[in-house]
Amino acid sequence: MTQPTFSAIGSMPGTDVRDTVRMVRDLVGDKGIPFLPELPARGPGADMIGRAASHLVGLGVDLQPSGWRLADSSGLDARRGAAYLRQDLDELAEAFDGWSGRLKVQWCGPWTLAASLALPRGERVLTDPGAARDLVQSVAESVREHLQQVARLVPDAELVLQWDEPSLPAVLAGALPTASGFGRVRPVEQGVVVDGLEHVRDAVAELVVAQVLHCCAPNVPVPLVRRVDGLDLAIDISLVKPRQWDGIAELVESGRTLWAGALATDAGAVRPEKVVDPLLRSWREIGLTGADLHRVVLTPACGLAAVAPTSVPGHLRTLAQATELLGEASESLSAG
């Protein structure tokens, strides 16, 4: 990137895939990084967990009242999840016919999926190291297949892969409840988490121009992300603690991109200055430069699935305007 840009996290409100894909193309495509939207309001299998679970390679899943679990074979809900994604890709291929430039797709990361899926006996996959390793390998294969399909449909796109890992802080802290609710799942060692992230990163590295880990939960493990070479970071900047900004500065100065969640998803109409100013204050305080702002992608703080559909175009236009202000600030900081 030579200038700041903008995008969104991926989840969107409503159930009309065709209209949503075209809105993303029209409002983000010219100046930002468009993306394949997720519409979880359609039901199980269209959500982040269900989509990834439905496409696991070599592992079956079914949906129980308690959530998704591994099974001998995939059930009806998994087949419905696969059908949702086929529909999404059909609409993507039509709307982005002839597209060249960056195009982002999202996938649930291996550790959030291991925290969310259950073993057949009911405990989280995370509690079984062998099952967790198998899941990491399956995620890597399924994402590789997905990216290859997107590349066939939009052959001139430069693909960006976003790994959604909202449960990562809880996985590392041992904060997830057991199936009984009376205990906590043991924390996963950082080295094991890094190995898993490196495995999935390597599996798709030749298919994408960038990979970004997205976590909009508190206590994002910034030092751990820095250990995984080539992985950018997407965060809700309102949740960043002062001590975390130094780690973010190191990440940016190393040449990686910060996807700054700067627009509150529960806010009404806001001026673009309200989006940019908090980021710029922190930027100056940690000594980053105007040139460093070129490695910023502005986004909403998290997904937009809970936002009123009529508000989404305004959010995207605000981000586009805020990006222009960030570009002006970059020139001002560089000059002076």
Side-chain angles (χ1 to χ4, degrees), residues 63-76:
L63 183 61
Q64 297 294 312
S66 57
W68 292 92
R69 72 173 183 183
L70 297 180
D72 291 336
S73 61
S74 292
L76 175 63

Side-chain angles (χ1 to χ4, degrees), residues 23 34 51 59 88 173 214 224 289 305 313 333 336:
M23 178 178 62
R51 170 167 287 185
L59 296 175
D88 295 351
H214 165 242
L224 182 145
T289 68
L333 281 173

